[in-house]
Amino acid sequence: MPTETTHQWRGPLWAIAILLALLGMVGPFSIDTYLPAFPAIAGALQATPLQMQQTLSAYLFAFAFMTLFHGSLSDSLGRRPVVLWGLALFALSSAGCALSQSIGQLVFFRALQGLTAGAGIVVSRAVIRDLFPPTQAQRVMAQVTIFFGIAPAVAPIVGGWLSVHLNWHSVFWFLTLVGALLWLAIWRLLPETLPAASRQPIALVPLMRGYGQLLTSPRFVLLALASGVPFNGMFLYVLAAPAFLGEHLGLGPTQFYWFFMLNISGIMAGAWVSGRLAGRLPPKRQIRHGFVIMLAVGLVNLAANLLFTAHASWAMLPIAVFSFGWALMVPVVTLLVLDLYPARRGMASSLQAFVGSSANGLVAGVVAPLVMHSTVLLALASLLMMCVGLASWIYLHHHWPEIGRKTM
């Protein structure tokens, strides 16, 4: 794959933000776009509900596994080659999904999709910090979060339309086209942001030493938990949407978009506020505000579901406010993760993504099926996952109070 000489981004911030957000949207699009086609795929391939769940689990666990390596490879080979190869293989595996003639073939190609889809989101975080100083990086990260948040709302609508008006194969042909167009955009527009002199050697011992350095760093692990686990307080409801919206709230499939629109509004508003606060508020205070919002709304959500029968008039609003709090703090936490070990930003981004995607896979495969048929259990599980991140941040705050103290 071709690369270019390293240089700084000279265009407007919103342009690089859109480009990098599109890279990050590959993963969510690969999940959410095909969910509305589940019944059609199951009927065509004579698949059981368990086998259909395996197409999701295979993707999520492959995604989580490979996120360990995308960033490390980009530290050694450069950012562009990893993204370009990832997108090329993603497009090919998406075509394989479209051409699958059995559920076994679909599970196989979904796993290949998972292995390649994470390159964009992992490497894009490192690219942002390569290009920009902290304050600008927070603004770009916030803008990326705004655009990234559109994916969960748009993807089910696109997938539902394609599966109804065309067929389930068209969903994966659409993903093939997305991969191909993004490959072309990255090849034409994204500069190489890691100079050759700053790259890490491609050798097993230095690589393992780098992994060991990060994984044995309490500060890194705590920050990764603080950023990755709370997301599942909202993601749980996305995974449980058919039961939560259909069974509990009595909404029809054509009304599900209200839930996704509320969530996306919360994410976009929180990310917008985060960008506005860049350089004005110390990161530690901004993170605290995000956790306070998530904790408060999580407790209100649990209490409301204990006291009242969930209703569409109010039950979706707490999740939207929760999303606002998460989007307010996550760009800042991500930058703190990347700045712990500047020479290993790609690896740090990989391990951070691994923590988050592993939690996503656990929630999809274990937690969601256990709690999705009770609104009280959904609210409790959401609150507990947020508390994992909160406890991590509180511990970090007390033992390393200097982290996040200075304004970016």
Side-chain angles (χ1 to χ4, degrees):
M1 293 285 171
T3 60
E4 295 176 6
T5 304
T6 304
H7 64 278
Q8 297 300 302
W9 180 260
R10 302 186 186 278
L13 294 185
W14 61 263
I16 187 67
I18 291 176
L19 186 62
L20 296 177
L22 290 173
L23 277 179
M25 287 166 64
V26 170
F29 249 78
S30 301
I31 298 172
D32 298 334
T33 308
Y34 95 119
L35 291 179
F38 258 40
I41 297 173
L45 301 182
Q46 298 180 336
T48 65
L50 177 60
Q51 289 173 321
M52 288 305 302
Q53 186 65 32
Q54 288 173 347
T55 67
L56 180 59
S57 298
Y59 173 90
L60 288 172
F61 285 111
F63 185 98
F65 170 75
M66 196 59 196
T67 53
L68 282 170
F69 304 104
H70 291 308
S72 304
L73 290 172
S74 77
D75 283 339
S76 299
L77 303 175
R79 313 301 189 202
R80 271 173 55 89
V82 174
V83 174
L84 289 171
W85 277 108
L87 287 172
L89 294 173
F90 172 80
L92 290 175
S93 59
S94 298
C97 290
L99 296 171
S100 295
Q101 299 298 310
S102 68
I103 191 63
Q105 291 177 8
L106 183 59
V107 170
F108 173 77
F109 284 112
R110 284 290 290 167
L112 286 183
Q113 269 192 323
L115 290 174
T116 56
I121 192 170
V122 170
V123 178
S124 63
R125 294 171 179 172
V127 167
I128 291 172
R129 196 58 187 90
D130 289 343
L131 285 173
F132 304 108
T135 298
Q136 274 189 308
Q138 183 180 337
R139 295 193 182 107
V140 176
M141 195 76 74
Q143 291 177 358
V144 167
T145 304
I146 290 174
F147 295 116
F148 173 78
I150 296 173
V154 174
I157 298 173
V158 173
W161 189 93
L162 289 171
S163 62
V164 169
H165 294 282
L166 297 175
N167 52 52
W168 70 266
H169 304 275
S170 66
V171 174
F172 292 109
W173 286 124
F174 168 75
L175 292 175
T176 303
L177 179 62
V178 167
L181 291 177
L182 268 178
W183 187 95
L184 183 61
I186 296 302
W187 178 67
R188 292 290 302 273
L189 301 175
L190 185 68
E192 175 56 66
T193 62
L194 186 66
S198 300
R199 296 178 190 177
Q200 301 297 318
I202 305 178
L204 183 61
V205 172
L207 186 65
M208 291 299 102
R209 188 182 298 121
Y211 279 115
Q213 182 183 29
L214 268 66
L215 290 172
T216 57
S217 167
R219 295 179 301 165
F220 174 82
V221 173
L222 291 168
L223 282 171
L225 290 173
S227 64
V229 180
F231 170 77
N232 287 280
M234 178 267 291
F235 189 54
L236 171 65
Y237 280 93
V238 174
L239 292 170
F244 175 61
L245 301 175
E247 294 179 19
H248 302 306
L249 303 188
L251 298 178
T254 58
Q255 297 172 304
F256 282 15
Y257 74 93
W258 285 108
F259 171 72
F260 292 104
M261 292 304 295
L262 284 170
N263 269 354
I264 188 60
S265 297
I267 292 173
M268 293 178 70
W272 181 82
V273 173
S274 179
R276 296 287 293 177
L277 293 176
R280 302 180 182 181
L281 198 68
K284 184 170 289 188
R285 287 182 60 190
Q286 189 168 327
I287 294 168
R288 182 180 65 192
H289 293 339
F291 273 117
V292 166
I293 291 170
M294 288 188 289
L295 177 61
V297 76
L299 290 170
V300 168
N301 187 38
L302 178 60
N305 281 282
L306 283 168
L307 295 173
F308 308 104
T309 300
H311 190 272
S313 61
W314 60 266
M316 295 181 285
L317 293 175
I319 300 97
V321 178
F322 187 100
S323 300
F324 174 89
W326 174 80
L328 178 65
M329 67 90 179
V330 77
V332 186
V333 180
T334 298
L335 288 175
L336 292 179
V337 168
L338 296 177
D339 283 346
L340 279 178
Y341 299 96
R344 292 283 188 183
R345 283 187 182 132
M347 182 178 287
S349 182
S350 274
L351 288 173
Q352 182 194 26
F354 176 76
V355 170
S357 55
S358 297
N360 296 348
L362 182 63
V363 170
V366 179
V367 179
L370 290 176
V371 304
M372 64 193 302
H373 298 295
S374 166
T375 58
V376 173
L377 291 179
L378 277 168
L380 178 62
S382 174
L383 179 62
L384 289 176
M385 285 184 285
M386 188 283 305
C387 286
V388 172
L390 177 60
S392 300
W393 174 251
I394 291 174
Y395 187 90
L396 182 79
H397 168 73
H398 284 291
H399 286 78
W400 291 275
E402 73 280 1
I403 292 181
R405 177 175 290 173
K406 295 181 180 180
T407 303
M408 287 183 173

